Amino acid sequence: MRAQPYRDRALVVRTHDFGEADRIIVLLTRSHGVKRGVAKGVRRAKSRFGSRLQHFVDIDVQLYPGRNLESITGADTVAFYGSGIIDNYERYTAACAALETAERLAHEGDPWLFDHLTETLARMQTTAHPTVVLDAFLLQGMTHAGWAPSLFDCAQCGAPGPHHAFHPAVGGAACVQCRPPGSAEVPEESLHLMWLLNNAHWPAALGIVAQAPHLGAVAHRLTRAHLQWHLEQKVTSLGVMDQT
Ligand SMILES: [Zn+2]
């Protein structure tokens, strides 16, 4: 069967120069997961679409399937989210972290992540709290993936909260009986803040962070720890699958 070209929406995750004038582009597509493609001749000045194949441009891209790499044969701009982000260090690093995490969570046939990412980038362009916007993206992404942290009841035994310990290995908040060694000691307000972010209650969440930045810092640390733990589990289970 001959491979057919296809179109999809996409965001550029990263690029690598290749050969004399080509570029390898890693794309988070809306409906086909992560795709690696080669864009031929795009480093030449007269390239028609090279300038669109960069960070924070939402593109409508045409791809031609290849053995190892797709060929990128066309790209039209749908939206540009770079303004407000590329000239602001804090927003830029938060937006890059969102893109890189999306790359690891993406899979084929699930447009939710792409849509969630474009909404996040739009919000990132003007926010005074880039880390909070990133944390909301990560929490909602983990919920979508099926590993949301428990933020009120004990993740192990279900005892009603609030609790003051958190450990990714038990699934989030843990009661005094269930808390594993090495659990983080956490203010209940930080867990509440994470709950607000996971449920997109923006005014309430931003109000807390504006009044008590340290609660936001704890929420960020716990969110990253939970994400990290689950991504490592995923990598480990993939490694085990490769060995069988
Ligand atoms: Zn418990």
Side-chain angles (χ1 to χ4, degrees):
M1 201 176 76
R2 277 184 59 182
Q4 293 293 320
Y6 61 97
R7 296 194 80 92
D8 201 352
R9 295 266 297 283
L11 286 158
V12 173
V13 179
R14 76 178 70 84
T15 68
H16 311 278
D17 288 350
F18 183 68
E20 293 208 343
D22 304 343
R23 194 163 273 161
I24 305 278
I25 316 275
V26 180
L27 294 168
L28 175 79
T29 70
R30 184 164 187 269
S31 303
H32 295 82
V34 174
K35 291 288 178 188
R36 298 166 63 82
V38 59
K40 293 223 153 90
V42 290
R43 279 151 59 212
R44 296 201 178 99
K46 61 177 191 204
S47 165
R48 282 178 301 114
F49 60 90
S51 65
R52 293 166 209 153
L53 296 172
Q54 55 170 309
H55 265 161
F56 311 124
V57 187
D58 177 354
I59 47 177
D60 184 70
V61 67
Q62 177 158 321
L63 295 159
Y64 196 90
R67 205 171 305 160
N68 301 310
L69 286 171
E70 316 288 80
S71 291
I72 301 173
T73 52
D76 296 313
T77 303
V78 177
F80 177 59
Y81 297 107
S83 47
I85 292 180
I86 52 179
D87 50 3
N88 178 301
Y89 179 76
E90 218 189 324
R91 288 184 196 149
Y92 178 78
T93 51
C96 288
L99 269 174
E100 282 159 21
T101 306
E103 180 189 8
R104 302 191 62 180
L105 296 178
H107 50 89
E108 207 160 336
D110 180 11
W112 181 89
L113 190 68
F114 178 88
D115 295 342
H116 182 45
L117 184 57
T118 53
E119 275 172 38
T120 297
L121 293 177
R123 190 177 291 278
M124 196 68 85
Q125 289 184 280
T126 56
T127 184
H129 300 285
T131 309
V132 177
V133 173
L134 171 63
D135 288 342
F137 174 80
L138 299 178
L139 286 163
Q140 292 169 29
M142 288 191 277
T143 299
H144 187 74
W147 14 282
S150 180
L151 297 168
F152 187 74
D153 293 344
C154 174
Q156 184 95 344
C157 72
H163 301 299
H164 298 96
F166 185 98
H167 201 298
V170 294
C175 73
V176 181
Q177 276 78 39
C178 297
R179 54 180 302 169
S183 294
E185 195 70 45
V186 295
E188 64 191 67
E189 294 89 344
S190 287
L191 298 179
H192 180 60
L193 172 61
M194 289 163 74
W195 185 87
L196 292 170
L197 292 173
N198 193 24
N199 291 281
H201 294 303
W202 287 103
L206 293 172
I208 290 174
V209 175
Q211 283 198 343
H214 68 282
L215 296 176
V218 172
H220 181 59
R221 194 158 50 75
L222 300 181
T223 302
R224 291 305 295 249
H226 199 76
L227 175 74
Q228 198 61 39
W229 195 86
H230 281 275
L231 288 177
E232 277 164 18
Q233 295 294 308
K234 195 172 142 192
V235 169
T236 306
S237 61
L238 285 174
V240 169
M241 278 167 67
D242 287 345
Q243 286 162 20
T244 55

